[in-house]
Amino acid sequence: MASEALGLLECKGLVALMEGTDAMLKSANVEMIGWDKAGSGMVTAFVKGDVAAVKAAVDAGAESAGRIGTVVSVHVIARPHDDLGGMMPKTQEADHHGLRPQHCRAAPKNRKDGLATETTESTEQVTEK
């Protein structure tokens, strides 16, 4: 991580953080390292990339998240020390869509007989449209 920069975006609330993170990833060539809950609604996203890309991404993310909720702080660390990697959050594995953590409920699937199915962890329900 020493040759790259580390960008942090901290928000009050998950929705603002998701909006800001989406803007960061779309605005510059950065990679999301992960995110972390600090408590009391405070959440932080971590991205990495070259210094200019991370700076541009964090600026875009802060502006976008600020329209939705409260941005607490933003910061870019150029060439962070290698030992700082031990403080990074552990990444959560996503499901086959790459969007939801495993514990989230699956989206309803449409069947050929016109009924929608909804799968939970232990049961499958069939409902009429």
Side-chain angles (χ1 to χ4, degrees):
M1 189 187 301
S3 64
E4 297 184 322
L6 173 65
L8 298 92
L9 172 63
E10 187 172 53
C11 298
K12 181 86 171 176
L14 185 61
V15 175
L17 183 72
M18 289 184 76
E19 176 69 22
T21 303
D22 184 56
M24 286 195 294
L25 296 172
K26 289 178 179 176
S27 67
N29 187 22
V30 295
E31 178 184 338
M32 184 170 176
I33 298 172
W35 67 282
D36 196 22
K37 295 185 282 187
S40 298
M42 305 279 276
V43 285
T44 307
F46 304 88
V47 296
K48 69 177 181 176
D50 67 68
V51 178
V54 170
K55 177 67 175 149
V58 168
D59 289 345
E63 181 181 334
S64 184
R67 289 193 297 260
I68 301 296
T70 303
V71 175
V72 177
S73 64
V74 295
H75 192 62
V76 175
I77 302 173
R79 299 179 309 129
H81 193 277
D82 289 333
D83 291 345
L84 200 57
M87 293 183 67
M88 293 297 105
K90 294 178 177 60
T91 58
Q92 290 185 339
E93 291 186 31
D95 71 351
H96 62 279
H97 297 293
L99 295 175
R100 295 185 315 268
Q102 291 290 342
H103 66 277
C104 289
R105 218 163 141 179
K109 298 175 186 172
N110 290 324
R111 296 177 7 168
K112 291 180 182 177
D113 59 6
L115 300 176
T117 62
E118 190 172 310
T119 304
T120 61
E121 289 180 10
S122 61
T123 63
E124 182 175 287
Q125 296 175 331
V126 178
T127 57
E128 293 186 36
K129 284 186 179 179

